[in-house]
Amino acid sequence: MKISDMTLLEKILQTVVIKVDKDNFVSDKIGAAFFFGEIITEADEMGLDAARKTLAEYIDNADIPILITSDFENGCGSMLKGLTPLPYLMSLGAADSEKLAYNYGKATALEARSVGANWSFSPVCDLNINKRNPLVNVRGLTDDVNLAIKLLPQVIKGMQDNGLAACAKHFPGDGLDYRDQHIVTTNNTLSFDEWKKKSGKVFEEVIKSGVYSVMSGHITLPSYQKEIFDNGMKLPATLSHELIENLLKKEMGFDGVVVTDALGMGGFNGWYKTMDISQIESFKAGCDMMLWPSENYVKNMTEAIENGYIPMSRLDDAVTRILSMKEKMGLFKKDNHAITLSEKDREFVKNTQKNVAEKSVTLMRDDADIFPLTTEKYKKIAVIPITHHIPAFDEGKLLADLLGEKGFDVQYLKDGIKKTETDGYDLILYALFSRPFRPIGFLDFHSTEAQKVAISLQTAVDKTAVVSFGSPYFMNQYFERAKTFVNAYSMLSPSVKAFVSAATGETEFSSFSPVEV
């Protein structure tokens, strides 16, 4: 398709990423549609057949091939029930396998394509350098730039080789601040020399690997930015010409699509008087596609182009990048509908899930010599879940049930244990469940779960083990004195099963931690 043949309206519509509305197709020339949830929500209840039908309508009605996208950060099952959730990306870091990294991307691509999706807002390329960062944590692969540049390009290759465009996020790099860009603008606080060696190096390498798109974060990079906003502060990347046009596109040579993070987030809004103004400024700054713009966006963009506030060259550059990505994906030449997975494909996805989970369970220490668990040594086990994400109690129950199936006498003590009750058990197993945005806020334990932590190591230390199905930093944040600690990184069923297999000696623990704890 030639950009010279497009009307102004067609060009502007290509820069829009809307939310899928199964009852209302917005336009036949829209650039992209995002379906179901977000990283902050649970998987959609819509069945797979209904999902395929809805997305097929978008594809059929699109006059210009449409991008269908979602947050497939850890496989597709977190966005659409009935598909397969993969252990969180930090599990892949713990597995430390380029082959598994490629398979992780491929498995994601196969299931995404099975419902008609062709673009994923992943992988997360942020280095989780700040242990207190509430948003990256297990969503990120590692805090080690060398491990990141070893595995992330393989994830991207696995996705893009199999028809799913990847999106590296969140430029210029989250994971340094202790705050959350959903709430406030955050900062990448590295000196520019350090940024080039760390966050910048990761983005440099994934750009070299051929990633089709990059997501700009509501994050500043003060060490690079010279421009001062009228409140005396530096603008986030989504509003910064310096960071997007100068650094990312010109200096780093990225010629793909730059999409904003969600425009409704607290880190984006408030810099200008209204969101309507902010999104025009974002486009002017160099972002090519707007994620969930307001209903006035098209009208306001039209006015901004017609009155010269945004030059036509900026719009043509954005549309050229978008159409080029669609050309690379072959969307103008091939059927863009959902593919049918073979039994071999389905088996591959399930095996990838199992392999990543099993190869990532990390035995951090076992000074009490508790593992492997045997029914001769540990006849009666207390399993105590600690979490402030209510649905995770189901995974805690699964842990207890799986141990029960192995022949142990297991009591699932959802409300915790009293110090006077510990003598009645041969093993006390604390299971910690967490992940970013479950719920919103810091990952710290508080209220009733904090009380469970408080008594956890006051008695029976030698027969107490702790496993974290979430933040790896709990080991020294709360359980510094625990003699036995395991990191499993992911509060999903496959990771719970993998822990039980390793704990009972059926599989081996990993000894590699992808982050410094």
Side-chain angles (χ1 to χ4, degrees), residues 87 91 357 360-362 467-470 486-491 495-496 499:
S91 297
S360 64
V361 182
T362 310
V467 53
S468 177
F469 297 101
V486 176
N487 273 326
Y489 311 102
S490 181
M491 61 177 192
S495 295
V496 175
F499 166 74

Side-chain angles (χ1 to χ4, degrees), residues 90 127-129 131 141-145 473 514-517:
M90 194 172 283
L127 294 173
N128 197 59
I129 296 172
K131 298 174 178 61
L141 190 107
T142 181
D143 57 9
D144 180 358
V145 62
Y473 306 112
V515 291
E516 176 60 52
V517 297

Side-chain angles (χ1 to χ4, degrees), residues 194-261:
E194 280 298 298
W195 181 86
K196 286 189 289 185
K197 296 173 184 176
K198 293 181 178 179
S199 304
K201 181 66 174 176
V202 175
F203 279 98
E204 177 186 33
E205 291 301 319
V206 298
I207 288 169
K208 285 181 182 177
S209 76
V211 69
Y212 289 164
S213 61
V214 168
M215 178 177 283
S216 63
H218 309 313
I219 307 166
T220 71
L221 183 59
S223 62
Y224 178 86
Q225 295 173 269
K226 294 181 174 60
E227 295 177 359
I228 305 295
F229 194 59
D230 59 17
N231 62 2
M233 300 172 68
K234 308 289 177 69
L235 287 165
T238 32
L239 292 166
S240 172
H241 183 276
E242 286 180 296
L243 292 180
I244 302 303
E245 283 290 351
N246 294 351
L247 180 57
L248 178 59
K249 290 184 174 180
K250 292 179 182 175
E251 294 183 28
M252 299 180 73
F254 180 61
D255 61 1
V257 172
V258 179
V259 60
T260 68
D261 206 340

Side-chain angles (χ1 to χ4, degrees), residues 292-362:
W292 309 336
S294 68
E295 60 183 16
N296 296 321
Y297 171 73
V298 173
K299 176 177 72 68
N300 293 339
M301 270 289 291
T302 302
E303 294 175 359
I305 295 292
E306 289 179 342
N307 66 24
Y309 184 71
I310 294 178
M312 181 63 77
S313 59
R314 165 79 274 268
L315 180 60
D316 285 348
D317 172 63
V319 176
T320 298
R321 289 167 180 265
I322 296 163
L323 296 182
S324 176
M325 183 166 101
K326 294 180 178 183
E327 287 277 8
K328 288 178 184 176
M329 297 167 66
L331 300 188
F332 290 95
K333 297 179 180 179
K334 67 182 181 185
D335 181 4
N336 193 29
H337 289 80
I339 62 172
T340 300
L341 297 186
S342 66
E343 190 57 40
K344 183 178 179 181
D345 290 333
R346 297 179 192 279
E347 184 178 352
F348 172 81
V349 173
K350 293 298 182 185
N351 284 339
T352 299
Q353 180 196 59
K354 183 174 184 287
N355 289 337
V356 173
E358 288 185 348
K359 293 183 183 303
S360 64
V361 182
T362 310

Side-chain angles (χ1 to χ4, degrees), residues 72 74-81 83-86 107-109 111-112:
F72 298 129
N74 61 303
C76 300
S78 59
M79 289 292 104
L80 185 59
K81 289 180 179 176
L83 297 180
T84 308
L86 300 177
T108 303
E111 286 205 332

